[in-house]
Amino acid sequence: MKLKTTLLGAAAAVALAPLAAQAERGEDGHLNIIYWQAPSIMNPYLSGGTKDLEAASLVIEPLARYDEAGNLVPWLATEVPTTENGGVSEDLTSITWHLKEGLQWSDGTPVTSEDVKFTWEYCTAEGGGCAQSEKYNDVESVETPDEHTVVVNFSVPKPFPYGPFVGAQAPIIQKAQFQDCLGPKAPECTDANFAPVGTGPFTVTEFRPNDVISLEANEHYRDPDKPAFATVTFKGGGDATAAGRAVLETGEFDYAWNLQLAPDVLEQMASAGQGQVVSSFGTLVERIMINLTDPSPDLPEGERATKEHPHPFLTDIAVRQAMSMAIDRELLTEIGYGEAGRPTCNVLPAPEIYASTANDACLIQDIEGAKALLDEAGWVDSDGDGIREKDGVELSVLYQTSTNAVRQDFQALIKQWWEEIGIETELRNIDASVFFGGDPGSPDTFQKFYADVEMYANNFDGTDPEAYMANWSCDEAPSPENQWQGNNMPRYCDPAYDALVAEMAQTGDIKKRAELAKAMNDMLMQNYIMLPLVDRGRVSAHANSLGGVILNTWDSELWNAADWYRKDM
Amino acid sequence: MTDRDDVPVEPANNPAGAGAAPALDPATEYRPPRNQWWDVWDQFKTHKGALVGAAVFILIVVAVFLGPYLWTIDPTYIDIRAKNQGPSLAHPLGTDQLGRDTLSRMLSGGRVSIAVGLTAMLLSIGIGTLIGVIAGYFRRLDGPLMRLTDLFLALPILPLLLVAVLLFRDMLSAAFGPEGGVFVLIVSLIGITSWMQTARIVRGDVLALKEREFVLAGRSIGTPSRRMITRHILPNVLSPIMVSATLGIATAIITESALSFLGFGFPPDFPTWGRLLFDSVDRMQLYPERVIWPGLAISLTVLSVNYIGDGLRDALDPRIRGR
Amino acid sequence: MLTFTIRRLLLAIPTLLFISLVIFLLLELAPGDPMAQVPLTVPPEVKERMREALGLGEPVHVRFWKWLVQFFWVEPLHLIDNLFGTALAEGQQRVISWQSRSPVMDIVAQRIPQTLWVVGVAYIVAILIAIPIGVYSAYRQYSWFDQAGTFITMVGFSVPPFFSGVLVIVIFSVNLGWFPSIYDTTHEVNDWDSFVVQLKQMIMPVMVLALQITSQISRFMRASMLDNLGQDYVRTARAKGMTERVVVLLHVLRNSMIPVVTVIALGIPAIFGGAIITEQVFKVNGIGQLLITAIQANDLPMVQTLTFIFAVLIVLFNLIADVLYGILDPRIRYD
């Protein structure tokens, strides 16, 4: 009897083996994904939030997107247009996309160039408050010569024409579904915003805002064998620790997003053997910004932290350089990020062609050197209280950042190093929703910068750093005149830098662009306007039984969810 | 028959002066005159739980206020080579993930936690009792004061804190120095947002009490309202106040850590018990002792205050006293 | 009592209007920005346009008036439409959340089941446990039962849920694997098996929450019972030859209920308000989680609506408590 069962089992295994290799849509059952920030809407044009973009990327797709190496790959288009293949015009003012043949929306209707054109109209409609309108900057018109061809015309030459319809931020939406939702009517289309008709591997069956999304395989998906999963539960809420625990320790979930946890905590979770941690690097850099203006509370509101009042001591480059030298970036990385971080001396660490190597000396901590530098510049501790001073000005800084366990550890460590070289440091942490909120009425936002130094992380979309590097031009400095908007937190202003920014906007040649970007990066670094600390990778985790995961930091993490499958364990 | 045996006695005290007057209890006439607080103390002494509670509490207070002078390691000093160590002679309670000494963090953290816990609790109990008694006793004020309570109960705490920090932080820092300012801010915020329950409870009890015979009797001989409240009403609502006080300390200690965590309170490298507990939860499985120490300290403090409260309540109740 | 109730109900209307104004102004004054969660890569001009699309450009009093109309006129009409299939609210703007751009009341309705399942059940369990513990602890003051009860409730109250919640997850989900660590809000109970699943997923959050509530109520119950057990009327009742059961459970308990009724009446609106930390720890995603995410995202219409509903419940239950005082102790009169 026993032998017979074994034999039958073996026979069955042989019979099933070819089937397993040849995947079929929906055969792997159910997939559980957890995001500790819960998505609130499935329409990326109405919400810039990463959580919403990534959830939506399961359903709606762009013409082309970035792969895990940061290369553009065609998605709904047949190929990526370039000047070489004639897709981009010689004068860089138009780009022509061709849609794949036979594409269908999840309701079975064909995808046409009209839908692509409509997407542009939707995002640029007056009064809609489209979160991605930056992507459609300078687009003059979108033409549809035939059902499968889209021509985007720009009003100015675009050296990098891959803004519109590219990446998770700018997916194509269905005209039929959204045509009554233009402009101010956008929020009224709740059903469309919660369950957009898409071309992606899954479609929404139920959407509960800020809680959970139920999805099922899209039966009109272009690859008849994909996706391997029939249904998906996309749960949101909680915190990163709980999400990591649910994948790595209890095995309740298959995929957990963005596990920003201390390395020893992650390691302990992974040791449970249920899943594995994956990480990948992008352009996210944790940095300290130095305020070149005076944030003193004694100044009247409206003049505080503006260019009228230069900072009493941070305008001295010796002080800024000493602060940088005192930091042990290797140690910070080891404590805070482990495998998922790399010490860096550049604010533009990637992609490869843009990464400068001119500043790598900062990787080695040099406390003695920092002290010598300060001595030389005349900053000495003359009254014996451990704090250096010059002309009655004491080196005393207020160091603020958002509330986050790793950032508070960084603060404590850096405070100790700075105090060692004679710079008194007071720490302050601010709730992220206030710190990163742009409320001009709040004194605690990172734009107002009512502190001497502040720490946060930033990156840029896609692979082109032009807009990112333009952040530090003179007119980007937050001030009362522009309601404290702008990304030039240090209030750095150098005409030479602005000239480089202007030059890059005119340059099409990729090598030349890379040189310009590097020059700008080096200029910022060698002036110690900001102190980059760690090049932060994205860390996520997936169950051992989940196959096909390729972590991508240039686009949505779920970009290839169609290829995910259940491994035989 | 009155509800309180000592009611007729009290007017006899008054001609001689306030609380310092010797109590002339007819039953103990032949004893030398003594302050009634001695009776309270005598009764308190017989309450074993209260004595142990008081001893533990005094021990904790002495430890956190004198401890940092004996155990002189700086609680914010980072010795990264000594991170995540277990107990040793150099670090009796081990070190944290940055190599800071846990014992010195516990000691200086306790100083803040206990100070915040006690002051915030006193403030909240004070406001709560005052509003509760006035609302319960004076019918005319009942409506407005209770609507005020409803308003405070309904206000969302987090935006309220944001506004308070926005309006008062710089002002208080200027007046009391950076740390003093934060202390005043935190204590008043906790006090102002947590008095409502006490007020509602006290008012409910007072409403029932003022219809009782002894109040009627007191009023019929012309006792003024102020004395009615302090002499007759307050002692009878002491037990729920004591319970609120005990629970209030625990809430205040935890709320302080939540406030600091959100960035409304002390700087992030400033240890407090609530914060130590919060920061260690992620590493609960790796280093369980790190959650045990602050958890134990908070629980012990609250337990000891609870027993002191029990003993005090018994001691202040003349029906139990002397039994 | 009836006139008192009617008068108070009428008085509640201006009170609530005033409260809603105070809440609105408070939210207005609080620093914060609905764009805080939008990535830094989105340029400031775009954020400014998004703010305008949310209606933030309009003056404060216009927005308050709009909210009043939407909440007190459009939403009830919409409810009537839903119940009777009419079309009274057709084309009128409802209260819209800034995060999800969908009607706030729909989301609230979606969240009520899990909030009631977890927070509501925890409250009932806690009351059912706390009152007997409080009564018996007082009746046998300083017995081992009382001592153990004191110890457990005080430790239970001192340990915050961000710790106790994670502790039970580590014990029961990670190490023993008995219960799920993540609450499934889409789970439907339609037979015995699914009920067992539901029971399993709610047992840990209910446990953690009930511990806190039990501690509080049982302490007040015990203190109040102790006050009353020493009263003369108890001696009289005993002297008349009543059984201990009747004396304790009928006379003393009834007279001791006033503070407990107050605490419970204050707690019932809190059921609706959800339990922010416990919901977060167990991913229950009830109303508490909704409120906290709305506050963090500065979703003002959502925060305003939720806190206002909360305010209505507070006013209502405090009124109920006042009426109950009169029933428990007929000597209490308000007129």
Side-chain angles (χ1 to χ4, degrees):
Chain A
M1 197 63 190
K2 209 162 189 186
L3 184 70
K4 194 177 159 195
T5 337
T6 322
L7 279 175
L8 272 176
V14 171
L16 282 172
L19 269 177
Q22 186 187 28
E24 208 173 298
R25 175 176 295 160
E27 64 167 9
D28 281 349
H30 191 74
L31 172 69
N32 280 311
I33 300 175
I34 184 161
Y35 269 48
W36 53 268
Q37 286 183 347
S40 33
I41 193 165
M42 287 294 266
N43 182 348
Y45 292 111
L46 293 184
S47 157
T50 313
K51 58 197 171 91
D52 305 316
L53 290 184
E54 303 220 341
S57 73
L58 289 172
V59 178
I60 42 183
E61 300 172 310
L63 294 180
R65 70 187 341 156
Y66 299 95
D67 68 5
E68 73 276 12
N71 304 316
L72 267 183
V73 287
W75 212 252
L76 294 182
T78 48
E79 59 173 356
V80 176
T82 57
T83 36
E84 283 80 50
N85 64 22
V88 178
S89 69
E90 282 301 324
D91 63 353
L92 306 176
T93 55
S94 81
I95 180 168
T96 307
W97 297 90
H98 296 282
L99 286 173
K100 280 181 181 161
E101 291 290 326
L103 281 178
Q104 281 183 334
W105 293 108
S106 55
D107 59 4
T109 54
V111 179
T112 69
S113 52
E114 276 301 313
D115 292 309
V116 181
K117 183 180 177 188
F118 173 77
T119 302
W120 166 68
E121 286 166 352
Y122 179 82
C123 188
T124 49
E126 197 60 38
C130 173
Q132 310 300 345
S133 53
E134 173 78 355
K135 296 275 164 203
Y136 298 96
N137 259 4
D138 302 324
V139 175
E140 199 174 49
S141 65
V142 177
E143 291 166 34
T144 51
D146 65 56
E147 284 219 325
H148 291 101
T149 311
V150 183
V151 182
V152 183
N153 295 313
F154 297 100
S155 56
V156 291
K158 278 264 167 183
F160 186 84
Y162 308 112
F165 316 121
V166 176
Q169 287 88 1
I172 310 301
I173 53 175
Q174 193 194 29
K175 182 176 183 181
Q177 194 185 19
F178 282 93
Q179 58 190 350
D180 294 330
C181 308
L182 285 174
K185 282 179 151 174
E188 284 169 33
C189 301
T190 305
D191 292 340
N193 292 335
F194 281 181
V197 173
T199 51
F202 298 98
T203 58
V204 177
T205 48
E206 192 193 4
F207 184 89
R208 296 187 180 207
N210 291 352
D211 181 13
V212 67
I213 313 168
S214 307
L215 304 107
E216 63 181 14
N218 171 6
E219 53 179 309
H220 297 284
Y221 188 61
R222 53 189 174 276
D223 186 334
D225 299 331
K226 287 174 180 174
F229 291 100
T231 48
V232 179
T233 297
F234 191 112
K235 173 87 179 176
D239 51 70
T241 321
R245 194 173 281 133
V247 170
L248 296 171
E249 287 193 277
T250 67
E252 289 165 79
F253 277 73
D254 297 307
Y255 189 85
W257 160 84
N258 196 6
L259 300 179
Q260 216 198 88
L261 296 170
D264 54 335
V265 176
L266 260 183
E267 198 178 307
Q268 176 256 327
M269 284 183 180
S271 67
Q274 297 273 3
Q276 59 203 68
V277 177
V278 284
S279 64
S280 164
F281 288 91
T283 56
L284 189 65
V285 174
E286 186 83 23
R287 78 282 299 274
I288 292 178
M289 291 288 186
I290 292 180
N291 199 343
L292 297 176
T293 60
D294 192 355
S296 160
D298 304 331
L299 293 172
E301 195 63 42
E303 288 182 33
R304 200 176 165 187
T306 61
K307 57 181 187 297
E308 275 113 83
H309 300 277
H311 198 280
F313 56 85
L314 287 175
T315 38
D316 182 352
I317 186 171
V319 178
R320 302 199 299 264
Q321 189 180 350
M323 286 169 98
S324 176
M325 287 163 82
I327 297 171
D328 185 347
R329 291 169 170 82
E330 294 272 359
L331 183 65
L332 288 180
T333 310
E334 183 195 318
I335 298 267
Y337 298 97
E339 294 293 302
R342 291 188 293 223
T344 183
C345 294
N346 296 306
V347 74
L348 179 61
E352 199 66 47
I353 55 160
Y354 298 113
S356 167
T357 50
N359 317 300
D360 289 351
C362 89
L363 290 178
I364 294 152
Q365 184 190 30
D366 185 2
I367 297 264
E368 291 313 312
K371 284 182 183 167
L373 189 67
L374 287 171
D375 285 338
E376 213 172 294
W379 295 97
V380 282
D381 179 17
S382 50
D383 53 7
D385 60 353
I387 307 161
R388 289 169 190 266
E389 60 269 309
K390 181 163 104 176
D391 309 330
V393 178
E394 290 214 315
L395 290 184
S396 169
V397 295
L398 174 62
Y399 175 8
Q400 70 180 15
T401 188
S402 72
T403 296
N404 167 314
V406 173
R407 288 201 173 123
Q408 263 76 77
D409 283 356
F410 274 29
Q411 275 187 309
L413 279 162
I414 292 172
K415 174 180 174 168
Q416 177 145 331
W417 292 324
W418 283 352
E419 298 209 321
E420 215 169 304
I421 62 167
I423 300 175
E424 187 188 37
T425 311
E426 188 193 332
L427 304 183
R428 174 180 290 170
N429 65 319
I430 299 160
D431 189 46
S433 67
V434 175
F435 188 63
F436 293 115
D439 187 346
S442 164
D444 289 329
T445 64
F446 73 135
Q447 288 110 332
K448 268 206 177 162
F449 203 172
Y450 284 178
D452 301 290
V453 292
E454 66 183 359
M455 176 170 71
Y456 62 92
N458 196 0
N459 64 338
F460 54 94
D461 284 341
T463 54
D464 180 57
E466 185 185 324
Y468 178 66
M469 297 314 285
N471 275 339
W472 295 288
S473 55
C474 294
D475 53 358
E476 278 284 320
S479 68
E481 287 78 50
N482 59 13
Q483 274 73 52
W484 301 98
Q485 304 301 317
N487 279 323
N488 184 359
M489 304 314 161
R491 287 92 160 116
Y492 174 66
C493 187
D494 187 341
Y497 188 87
D498 285 15
L500 290 176
V501 171
E503 195 182 340
M504 186 158 179
Q506 307 290 328
T507 310
D509 178 46
I510 186 83
K511 276 207 185 106
K512 193 82 185 49
R513 287 173 74 82
E515 268 168 38
L516 284 168
K518 275 190 200 174
M520 284 191 264
N521 172 68
D522 292 350
M523 203 164 162
L524 293 172
M525 295 304 102
Q526 282 152 20
N527 274 311
Y528 300 95
I529 299 306
M530 58 196 84
L531 316 176
L533 303 173
V534 181
D535 175 10
R536 277 172 50 186
R538 180 64 76 79
V539 188
S540 295
H542 66 83
N544 287 332
S545 64
L546 182 66
V549 175
I550 300 173
L551 190 60
N552 183 345
T553 53
W554 306 100
D555 206 295
S556 163
E557 275 188 27
L558 307 175
W559 69 300
N560 72 335
D563 303 335
W564 291 6
Y565 61 94
R566 183 72 64 200
K567 281 187 202 164
D568 299 317
M569 298 290 281
Chain B
M1 180 190 266
T2 63
D3 284 62
R4 282 175 56 116
D5 319 288
D6 59 341
V7 167
V9 181
E10 280 169 3
N13 283 344
N14 293 318
L24 287 174
D25 195 320
T28 52
E29 254 172 329
Y30 42 84
R31 268 207 274 164
R34 64 196 297 239
N35 192 315
Q36 65 170 354
W37 290 107
W38 282 112
D39 292 341
V40 173
W41 170 240
D42 281 344
Q43 176 63 29
F44 188 79
K45 271 194 305 192
T46 63
H47 195 295
K48 245 184 269 162
L51 279 187
V52 175
V56 171
F57 187 69
I58 291 170
L59 198 73
I60 294 176
V61 171
V62 168
V64 299
F65 281 90
L66 297 183
Y69 296 104
L70 300 173
W71 186 253
T72 50
I73 296 182
D74 179 357
T76 58
Y77 179 75
I78 297 171
D79 180 5
I80 200 73
R81 277 156 306 175
K83 69 171 173 175
N84 294 331
Q85 279 186 357
S88 65
L89 263 183
H91 304 289
L93 298 185
T95 58
D96 71 357
Q97 77 277 7
L98 296 180
R100 292 175 289 202
D101 181 62
T102 307
L103 177 60
S104 71
R105 286 171 77 73
M106 282 294 296
L107 291 176
S108 60
R111 206 188 268 208
V112 184
S113 287
I114 289 195
V116 169
L118 284 182
T119 4
M121 176 272 282
L122 288 176
L123 185 65
S124 119
I125 295 297
I127 304 178
T129 311
L130 185 74
I131 292 193
V133 168
I134 293 180
Y137 194 78
F138 302 103
R139 186 169 295 154
R140 193 182 294 259
L141 292 174
D142 186 27
L145 283 177
M146 282 303 108
R147 299 300 79 73
L148 181 77
T149 314
D150 287 347
L151 172 68
F152 267 86
L153 281 166
L155 288 182
I157 305 280
L158 215 52
L160 185 71
L161 295 175
L162 284 169
V163 172
V165 169
L166 181 73
L167 295 177
F168 303 119
R169 188 178 58 203
D170 287 342
M171 206 175 80
L172 288 172
S173 300
F176 299 95
E179 268 164 27
V182 170
F183 181 82
V184 173
L185 185 71
I186 286 196
V187 164
S188 24
L189 278 177
I190 299 177
I192 287 169
T193 52
S194 62
W195 55 269
M196 293 80 77
Q197 195 185 32
T198 319
R200 291 275 321 169
I201 293 170
V202 169
R203 167 183 170 267
D205 269 4
V206 172
L207 280 178
L209 274 175
K210 75 172 178 192
E211 307 297 338
R212 297 261 275 268
E213 295 84 349
F214 72 91
V215 177
L216 201 66
R219 224 183 283 167
S220 68
I221 56 167
T223 319
S225 296
R226 205 163 63 91
R227 196 172 310 136
M228 280 302 297
I229 289 174
T230 50
R231 282 278 174 184
H232 304 287
I233 303 283
L234 266 186
N236 277 294
V237 289
L238 205 60
S239 357
I241 295 179
M242 285 291 178
V243 175
S244 298
T246 328
L247 299 177
I249 287 195
T251 321
I253 291 178
I254 299 300
T255 313
E256 178 281 317
S257 67
L259 291 183
S260 298
F261 177 75
L262 289 169
F264 305 130
F266 294 103
D269 58 338
F270 203 90
T272 65
W273 286 347
R275 201 180 175 95
L276 289 174
L277 183 61
F278 189 89
D279 288 350
S280 320
V281 166
D282 273 359
R283 294 188 176 80
M284 190 194 285
Q285 286 147 285
L286 284 168
Y287 310 104
E289 71 276 7
R290 280 194 216 156
V291 285
I292 292 175
W293 294 125
L296 197 69
I298 300 174
S299 301
L300 264 184
T301 310
V302 175
L303 264 176
S304 60
V305 171
N306 173 64
Y307 279 110
I308 297 174
D310 267 5
L312 262 185
R313 200 201 66 88
D314 286 3
L316 288 172
D317 187 344
R319 283 185 297 271
I320 298 180
R321 200 193 304 156
R323 213 170 35 199
Chain C
M1 211 41 127
L2 188 68
T3 48
F4 165 76
T5 314
I6 292 169
R7 210 182 60 219
R8 275 284 298 273
L9 278 175
L10 286 177
L11 198 65
I13 295 168
T15 313
L16 282 170
L17 280 177
F18 180 70
I19 291 181
S20 74
L21 178 67
V22 173
I23 296 174
F24 192 87
L25 292 177
L26 182 73
L27 294 178
E28 204 48 49
L29 202 59
D33 176 15
M35 298 294 115
Q37 289 180 341
V38 172
L40 302 182
T41 48
V42 173
E45 312 85 74
V46 176
K47 287 187 188 169
E48 193 50 45
R49 280 201 294 278
M50 289 172 76
R51 272 184 217 113
E52 274 163 29
L54 295 177
L56 263 170
E58 291 172 44
V60 177
H61 60 272
V62 174
R63 279 186 286 138
F64 183 59
W65 176 247
K66 271 193 173 171
W67 179 83
L68 280 181
V69 171
Q70 286 166 1
F71 188 84
F72 288 103
W73 182 244
V74 184
E75 288 294 341
L77 285 184
H78 190 85
L79 187 69
I80 295 171
D81 288 356
N82 267 354
L83 292 177
F84 305 107
T86 50
L88 296 170
E90 190 90 309
Q92 300 196 55
Q93 180 82 333
R94 300 175 64 191
V95 186
I96 297 280
S97 151
W98 285 349
Q99 291 174 85
S100 65
R101 309 292 179 94
S102 67
V104 166
M105 294 311 280
D106 291 359
I107 307 178
V108 172
Q110 215 169 51
R111 295 302 178 95
I112 284 181
Q114 54 256 38
T115 309
L116 287 185
W117 266 113
V118 173
V119 191
V121 168
Y123 230 92
I124 295 171
V125 169
I127 293 174
L128 290 180
I129 299 176
I131 291 183
I133 288 186
V135 170
Y136 195 74
S137 293
Y139 187 65
R140 292 260 177 266
Q141 197 189 6
Y142 304 133
S143 65
W144 70 266
F145 180 88
D146 180 32
Q147 302 287 13
T150 302
F151 187 80
I152 293 170
T153 50
M154 291 324 283
V155 172
F157 194 79
S158 329
V159 174
F162 66 73
F163 169 57
S164 51
V166 177
L167 182 70
V168 293
I169 286 184
V170 166
I171 295 175
F172 294 109
S173 296
V174 176
N175 290 337
L176 296 173
W178 290 356
F179 309 122
S181 72
I182 289 174
Y183 189 94
D184 178 8
T185 47
T186 53
H187 181 72
E188 275 171 29
V189 178
N190 41 26
D191 55 15
W192 176 250
D193 286 340
S194 60
F195 180 70
V196 171
V197 172
Q198 174 67 17
L199 217 55
K200 271 186 163 178
Q201 67 171 348
M202 54 189 273
I203 197 158
M204 288 197 299
V206 167
M207 216 155 72
V208 167
L209 262 180
L211 179 64
Q212 296 263 316
I213 307 166
T214 308
S215 307
Q216 212 184 359
I217 297 178
S218 69
R219 295 313 292 173
F220 281 110
M221 188 74 237
R222 173 179 179 273
S224 186
M225 283 291 286
L226 280 177
D227 272 355
N228 277 288
L229 278 169
Q231 299 285 355
D232 297 332
Y233 71 85
V234 179
R235 210 182 309 152
T236 315
R238 281 184 181 141
K240 282 200 295 187
M242 289 178 172
T243 58
E244 278 300 289
R245 180 182 293 268
V246 173
V247 172
V248 174
L249 292 186
L250 233 62
H251 293 99
V252 182
L253 184 60
R254 178 167 171 176
N255 278 295
S256 315
M257 281 305 277
I258 286 183
V260 179
V261 163
T262 315
V263 176
I264 295 176
L266 287 177
I268 290 175
I271 297 180
F272 174 82
I276 291 172
I277 296 173
T278 314
E279 286 185 6
Q280 191 102 348
V281 169
F282 295 97
K283 275 69 68 185
V284 178
N285 293 353
I287 304 234
Q289 187 259 6
L290 187 65
L291 181 64
I292 193 75
T293 47
I295 290 178
Q296 279 165 352
N298 262 288
D299 184 353
L300 297 189
M302 175 77 85
V303 180
Q304 169 83 18
T305 308
L306 281 176
T307 32
F308 185 71
I309 299 176
F310 196 46
V312 173
L313 291 174
I314 288 169
V315 170
L316 188 69
F317 277 91
N318 281 346
L319 170 62
I320 293 178
D322 283 351
V323 172
L324 277 179
Y325 293 165
I327 295 170
L328 287 170
D329 189 340
R331 279 175 300 188
I332 295 180
R333 277 183 311 268
Y334 298 100
D335 311 290

